[in-house]
Amino acid sequence: MKENKTEGSMTLREAKKELNKFFVTMLCISIVIVVLFETGVLDYWKGEYAGMKNFEFIVLTVMEVLTIASIPFALKLLKMKFVKRKFDAAEDRVTKYKELSLIRMEILIMPMIINIFCYYLFMQTSFGYMAIIQLICLCFVCPTMSRCEREAIKEPENGEQQQD
């Protein structure tokens, strides 16, 4: 694949590099949070809200809905019509792809980090399971070169045929 670079635009390789930096940084932040709680550095907050059953129920319900909604939304973000139209109309597809990929990762990572915090605040395993599920879903949006090429370069899908 030949990469043309005009002033102000970025190559697919540069976009992948930035996406990988964000991906790894956010995973490291999640790991640091877990390590800080597990080593006792943040023991002050560990189990702080464990006895508040009504509050726990509300937070758990909100996070379950957020987790369940965020997964398919993030995985199908680039295929949604309103996003696809803007993406296809963009002058610099690589920059637009990078922006959309960052949004897609944020949609999965932010609830995962909140679930990690909630797990330690409430000591409720459901939050931990939701964080693990979102971590697994991150594997499906992990920025690899083949994924970047496949998603950033316009190719007609199986059912799409160009009509005159």
Side-chain angles (χ1 to χ4, degrees), residues 41-58:
V41 174
L42 297 178
D43 256 355
Y44 177 74
W45 289 300
K46 198 170 188 179
E48 184 71 22
Y49 299 107
M52 304 173 134
K53 294 299 178 190
N54 291 337
F55 184 56
E56 178 182 325
F57 175 76
I58 292 168

Side-chain angles (χ1 to χ4, degrees), residues 62-79:
V62 168
M63 288 311 298
E64 284 173 346
V65 170
L66 187 62
T67 300
I68 291 170
S70 68
I71 293 169
F73 183 74
L75 294 177
K76 291 292 186 178
L77 181 67
L78 295 177
K79 302 289 183 186

Side-chain angles (χ1 to χ4, degrees), residues 70-114:
S70 68
I71 293 169
F73 183 74
L75 294 177
K76 291 292 186 178
L77 181 67
L78 295 177
K79 302 289 183 186
M80 293 181 179
K81 287 184 182 184
F82 69 95
V83 174
K84 196 172 179 87
R85 269 183 269 145
K86 289 190 184 241
F87 183 60
D88 290 342
E91 284 185 32
D92 189 4
R93 291 180 59 86
V94 174
T95 304
K96 192 67 170 176
Y97 171 73
K98 185 189 87 165
E99 292 170 4
L100 291 171
S101 293
L102 282 172
I103 290 170
R104 183 168 63 174
M105 284 190 282
E106 289 170 1
I107 289 170
L108 290 173
I109 290 172
M110 291 305 150
M112 181 182 78
I113 291 174
I114 294 169

Side-chain angles (χ1 to χ4, degrees), residues 121-137:
L121 292 176
F122 293 102
M123 295 309 295
Q124 173 65 267
T125 56
S126 300
F127 292 112
Y129 293 141
M130 288 187 288
I132 291 169
I133 289 168
Q134 287 181 305
L135 179 64
I136 291 168
C137 290

